[in-house]
């Protein structure tokens, strides 16, 4: 008696990246340099944005790192919203997600600064602020992600309703003629 492990599982071919077409043979990668350039440009812009915000709103020694907190939470929102637009609303594109998702949001948000800020708070014996930084960042980042997804899906729902209303109106106009 054969069990399910002995038989070959059915495989569905799903793209790792929804912006890339799936074919039987692996495609050549002629655009790799352009995709990497898009990531680099987005990373530059995201890193500069984060750096400038840090200069504009510096954190006093021993104080809660509100700027890093705000950067990471806003980055979570932007990335979630962007992914809904890229995957569900906009037509497929090769460069938007690498440019904005990987490059900009990847460089804009910062795990390392978050942990350095937490370490500094712990070293200064600000345990409550350190716990708030870790737990609050996780909770607020998750909430911002959910909000970004909800906002993106609300835009998608509104677009679908508008398209359905337009189709019904066109059908009604056609029926009257």
């Amino acid at each position: 008696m054969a069990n399910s492990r002995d038989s070959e599982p059915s495989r569905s071919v799903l793209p790792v990246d929804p912006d890339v077409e799936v074919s039987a043979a692996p495609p050549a990668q002629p655009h790799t340099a352009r995709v990497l350039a898009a990531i680099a440009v987005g990373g530059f812009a995201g890193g500069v944005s984060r750096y400038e915000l840090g200069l504009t709103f510096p954190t006093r020694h021993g104080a809660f790192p509100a700027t890093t907190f705000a950067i990471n939470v806003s980055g979570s929102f932007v990335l979630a919203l962007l992914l809904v637009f890229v995957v569900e609303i906009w037509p497929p594109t090769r460069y938007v997600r690498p440019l904005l998702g990987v490059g900009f949001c990847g460089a804009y948000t910062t795990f390392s600064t978050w942990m350095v800020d937490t370490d500094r708070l712990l070293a200064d014996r600000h345990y409550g602020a350190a716990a708030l930084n870790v737990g609050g960042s996780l909770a607020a980042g998750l909430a911002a992600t959910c909000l970004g997804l909800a906002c993106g899906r609300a835009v998608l729902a509104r677009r679908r309703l508008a398209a359905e209303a337009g189709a019904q109106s066109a059908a009604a106009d056609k029926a009257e003629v």
Side-chain angles (χ1 to χ4, degrees), residues 124-139:
D124 292 340
R125 299 176 188 235
H126 298 290
Y127 302 119
L132 178 63
N133 191 35
V134 171
S137 291
L138 291 172

Side-chain angles (χ1 to χ4, degrees), residues 39-68:
I39 292 169
V41 168
F44 176 78
V48 168
S49 298
R50 177 169 43 95
Y51 177 75
E52 289 296 327
L53 284 168
L55 291 178
T56 304
F57 305 103
T59 300
R60 291 186 349 267
H61 182 74
F64 182 80
T67 303
T68 302

Side-chain angles (χ1 to χ4, degrees), residues 35-90:
V35 169
L36 291 176
I39 292 169
V41 168
F44 176 78
V48 168
S49 298
R50 177 169 43 95
Y51 177 75
E52 289 296 327
L53 284 168
L55 291 178
T56 304
F57 305 103
T59 300
R60 291 186 349 267
H61 182 74
F64 182 80
T67 303
T68 302
F69 181 87
I71 287 168
N72 286 340
V73 171
S74 64
S76 297
F77 173 82
V78 168
L79 182 58
L81 181 65
L82 173 70
L83 287 179
V84 172
F85 275 75
V86 167
V87 173
E88 298 182 36
I89 298 175
W90 294 336

Side-chain angles (χ1 to χ4, degrees), residues 4-18:
S4 61
R5 289 188 206 166
D6 295 335
S7 62
E8 179 68 25
S10 65
R11 294 182 186 216
S12 63
V13 179
L14 295 175
V16 173
D17 184 342

Side-chain angles (χ1 to χ4, degrees), residues 79-160:
L79 182 58
L81 181 65
L82 173 70
L83 287 179
V84 172
F85 275 75
V86 167
V87 173
E88 298 182 36
I89 298 175
W90 294 336
T93 175
R94 183 177 308 272
Y95 302 108
V96 172
R97 194 164 66 169
L99 174 75
L100 299 176
V102 177
F104 183 85
C105 289
Y108 177 71
T109 58
T110 171
F111 179 81
S112 58
T113 304
W114 175 40
M115 288 300 104
V116 168
D117 289 342
T118 302
D119 182 57
R120 287 180 181 161
L121 289 170
L122 290 170
D124 292 340
R125 299 176 188 235
H126 298 290
Y127 302 119
L132 178 63
N133 191 35
V134 171
S137 291
L138 291 172
L142 180 60
T145 300
C146 291
L147 181 62
L149 293 172
C151 289
R153 290 185 179 138
V155 169
L156 177 62
R158 184 190 287 169
R159 289 175 59 114
R160 286 181 178 161

